[in-house]
DNA sequence: TAATTCACGACAAGTTGAGTCAAGATTCTA
DNA sequence: TAGAATCTTGACTCAACTTGTCGTGAATTA
C-alpha cells in the first residue's frame, strides 16, 4: 500500500475547506465530523499542511482553518508529498540507471516509467478537480433519488 | 513505498534463473551471491514462488531451482503479487465507486486510474523482457569500456 | 478573566519489514 | 548404509512505521 491514511485524510480535509471557501474559518471539529476523521489525528495533518503553506489558521473563538491558495492551484501531488513524503514506488527509482540497480535487478526502468505516469496524473489533478468530481457525484446521487 | 525488498529480491532471483535456463538446477547460494540477497531470506521467497508454480526445486547434491514456465510467460505482475500481495496503491480502489469513499474523499477515481495503468504495465512485462533489458545494459556497459 | 480554538510534543499499541536460526526432509554418492 | 549437499518450514527477533490519544500551552475574543 503506497498511501497511508495520512494522505487520504489530508486530502479529504482540503476538499472540505475548498467547499467552504469564502465562509470564514472552518473548525477542526467540523471537518473531522463531516469527513469522518479522528479529530486529534487530523490535528497533526492540518499542522503539517499549514507549515507547508496550503492553509492558514486562526486561534480563538470563531477561529479555524482556511485555504491559503486557490483550490485549483493545489495539486494532489504536492499535498500527498507534504503528508506522506516521497511517493516513489520503490527506492531505487531515484538512483541513476546503470548503478547497482541496473546490474543486479533490471526492473528499475519499469518502475521509473510507472512513477513518471503517477507524477503526471497526480501533478495534473488539483483540489478543485476533486471538488468538481465530488459535486457531480452528489448530483448523480440526488438524481437517482428523485427517480 | 509500494514495494518491499521481497518483490525486488524475488524478481532478481527469477531473472537469474531465466538466464541459466537449460543448465540444470541453480543453487540458492549461487543466486544469493550473484544477486546480493541474504541467502536465508531468499529462502522464503523461493519457497513462495515454488508454491505458486513459478519454479520447481530438487533437493540433494546437484539440486537447486529452475523455472517451471517459459520466462516470457511470467509477468512481472504475477510475481510481485505472489510475493507482495495486492499492489493496490490505496485500500479503497477495490470498493465500488459511490460507496463511502465517493462521498467522503473524492480522490478514489484518480487512484483507480493510476492503478489501471500500473496493472497494464506490470502485466505487459515479462521476465524475458527484463532479461533482454539487462543484456542490452551489459552490452552498453561493455561498449563504453572498449572506447 | 473565562471560553474557545489551534499548536506541539510525549506516549502507546499494533502491524509490517527484513532478516536469522535451527531442526528436519530429501536425494546423491561412496 | 553413512555422509554430505540441498531445500523446507516454522519460530523468533529487532527496528521502524502507522494510527492514533492526551495533556499542556499559546493566541484570540467577548
Ligand atoms: S533494485 Fe530497483 S527495481 Fe530492483
Ligand atoms: S477513501 Fe479512498 S481515496 Fe480517500
Amino acid at each position: 500500500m503506497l498511501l497511508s491514511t495520512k494522505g487520504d485524510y489530508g486530502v479529504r480535509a482540503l476538499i472540505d475547506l475548498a467547499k467552504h471557501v469564502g465562509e470564514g474559518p472552518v473548525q477542526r471539529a467540523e471537518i473531522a465530523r463531516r469527513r469522518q476523521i479522528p479529530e486529534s489525528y487530523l490535528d497533526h495533518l492540518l499542522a503539517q499542511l499549514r507549515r507547508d503553506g496550503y492553509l492558514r489558521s486562526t486561534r480563538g473563538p470563531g477561529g479555524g482553518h482556511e485555504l491559503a491558495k486557490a483550490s485549483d492551484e493545489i495539486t494532489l501531488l504536492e499535498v500527498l508529498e507534504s503528508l506522506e513524503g516521497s511517493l516513489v514506488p520503490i527506492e531505487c527509482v531515484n538512483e541513476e540507471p546503470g548503478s547497482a540497480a541496473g546490474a543486479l535487478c533490471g526492473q528499475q526502468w519499469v518502475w521509473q516509467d510507472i512513477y513518471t505516469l503517477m507524477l503526471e496524473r497526480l501533478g495534473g489533478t488539483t483540489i478543485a478537480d476533486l471538488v468538481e468530481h465530488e459535486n457531480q457525484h452528489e448530483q448523480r446521487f440526488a438524481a437517482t433519488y428523485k427517480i
Side-chain angles (χ1 to χ4, degrees), chain A residues 3 7 10-12 14-15 18 49 52-54 67 69-84 87 118-131:
Chain A
L3 249 64
V11 171
R12 289 191 206 181
L14 286 181
I15 291 176
L49 290 173
D52 285 357
Y54 299 109
L67 289 188
K69 300 177 166 188
S71 66
D72 61 357
E73 283 173 2
I74 306 178
T75 70
L76 199 42
L77 180 61
E78 334 172 55
V79 175
L80 293 178
E81 285 190 332
S82 161
L83 293 167
E84 302 268 0
L87 296 180
M118 262 183 49
L119 293 184
E120 276 169 14
R121 287 292 169 127
L122 296 175
T125 308
T126 67
I127 298 295
D129 295 330
L130 298 179
V131 170

Side-chain angles (χ1 to χ4, degrees), chain A residues 42-54:
Chain A
L42 179 56
D43 211 7
H44 298 330
L45 310 179
L46 292 177
Q48 180 63 40
L49 290 173
R50 186 186 55 75
R51 268 179 238 119
D52 285 357
Y54 299 109

